């Protein structure tokens, strides 16, 4: 009774947004989150979207580097799809794909560990392939320079390996037996996640995409 006096009937409110996942829901077209032609590594298969909690919605990518650890890089993280930047702070860039300015509705993409220097301002509209900032260790736990990406729909994390798998430039994410393990598959190949960026984790985005 107290809850209803403060916030209204929760079941009536739920009818305004349910179902959270419509039966015909599909992921929008997404590209890999880096500039075409640059060598990166797939360093983290499906794992917690925020710190160690929540759905295994996140994937990690790191740019090629001569040194390990948290080092500066000339590589750029780019927008995987068009939308409006609704958060740009503390290592986070969050892009709202439906453009209504709310990350709680529709599709949204989280980019974590984006360096403060050169990070795109809040409120900016971006197109696919626009630069968002450089990967770093800012914004949370990190042992090396990388970008952590995750999808949300209507405010809920979408598992990277589930009914709506994470697909980027035709690469589909698959979970391993443990967090951060897993693969990316496409018709012509397989890429295996490696937290140390070993040979089998290397990935390039083709120049035919934006």
């Amino acid at each position: 009774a107290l809850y209803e006096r403060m916030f209204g009937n929760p079941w009536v409110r739920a009818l305004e947004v349910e179902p959270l996942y419509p039966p015909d829901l599909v992921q929008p077209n997404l590209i890999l989150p880096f500039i075409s032609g640059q060598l990166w590594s797939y360093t983290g298969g499906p794992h917690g979207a925020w710190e160690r909690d929540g759905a295994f919605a996140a994937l990690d990518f790191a740019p090629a580097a001569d040194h390990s650890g948290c080092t500066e890089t000339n590589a750029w993280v780019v927008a995987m799809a068009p939308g409006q930047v609704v958060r740009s702070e503390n290592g986070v860039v969050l892009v709202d794909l439906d453009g209504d300015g709310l990350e709680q509705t529709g599709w949204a993409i989280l980019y974590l560990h984006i360096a403060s220097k050169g990070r795109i301002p809040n409120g900016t509209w971006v197109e696919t392939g626009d630069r968002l900032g450089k990967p770093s260790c800012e914004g949370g736990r990190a042992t090396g320079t990388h970008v952590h990406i995750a999808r949300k729909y209507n405010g809920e994390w979408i598992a990277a390996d589930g009914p709506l798998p994470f697909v980027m430039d035709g690469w589909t994410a698959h979970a391993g037996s443990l967090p951060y393990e897993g693969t990316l598959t496409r018709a012509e190949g397989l890429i295996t996640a490696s937290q140390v960026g070993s040979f089998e984790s290397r990935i390039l985005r083709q120049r035919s995409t934006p």
Side-chain angles (χ1 to χ4, degrees):
L2 175 61
Y3 182 95
E4 288 200 23
R5 287 199 301 273
M6 294 178 67
F7 305 109
N9 187 301
W11 308 114
V12 173
R13 291 178 62 197
L15 291 174
E16 297 176 1
V17 296
E18 290 183 342
L20 285 177
Y21 310 131
D24 58 350
L25 182 65
V26 295
Q27 179 202 272
N29 289 330
L30 301 176
I31 65 168
L32 289 162
F34 38 86
I35 293 173
S36 61
Q38 288 188 344
L39 183 64
W40 284 60
S41 289
Y42 179 44
T43 54
H47 58 281
W50 193 255
E51 294 290 344
R52 300 183 183 276
D53 298 326
F56 280 9
L59 307 175
D60 289 347
F61 294 92
D66 295 331
H67 299 87
S68 60
C70 297
T71 59
E72 290 190 8
T73 178
N74 290 322
W76 287 88
V77 175
V78 304
M80 303 169 71
Q84 182 182 3
V85 177
V86 293
R87 262 201 284 165
S88 182
E89 60 184 3
N90 302 325
V92 169
V93 170
L94 196 138
V95 177
D96 167 41
L97 303 193
D98 65 12
D100 67 358
L102 299 172
E103 64 179 87
Q104 300 89 349
T105 60
W107 285 99
I109 306 291
L110 169 79
Y111 305 82
L112 179 61
H113 305 303
I114 305 300
S116 55
K117 183 179 179 180
R119 188 170 61 224
I120 194 166
N122 193 28
T124 306
W125 179 269
V126 295
E127 298 294 341
T128 302
D130 285 354
R131 297 180 178 188
L132 301 178
K134 294 182 177 180
S136 72
C137 289
E138 294 181 31
R141 298 177 184 175
T143 57
T145 297
H146 73 287
V147 62
H148 166 110
I149 56 172
R151 306 167 301 166
K152 291 201 296 183
Y153 185 79
N154 282 349
E156 297 290 333
W157 299 115
I158 302 297
D161 182 6
L164 288 170
F166 214 146
V167 180
M168 304 151 291
D169 280 320
W171 291 101
T172 301
H174 307 278
S177 57
L178 295 172
Y180 296 93
E181 294 182 355
T183 59
L184 295 174
T185 60
R186 201 165 68 174
E188 69 272 26
L190 177 146
I191 295 171
T192 302
S194 167
Q195 294 188 59
V196 296
S198 56
F199 179 84
E200 65 274 11
S201 70
R202 298 190 307 171
I203 185 169
L204 282 168
R205 183 160 70 82
Q206 301 300 318
R207 294 187 182 276
S208 58
T209 56

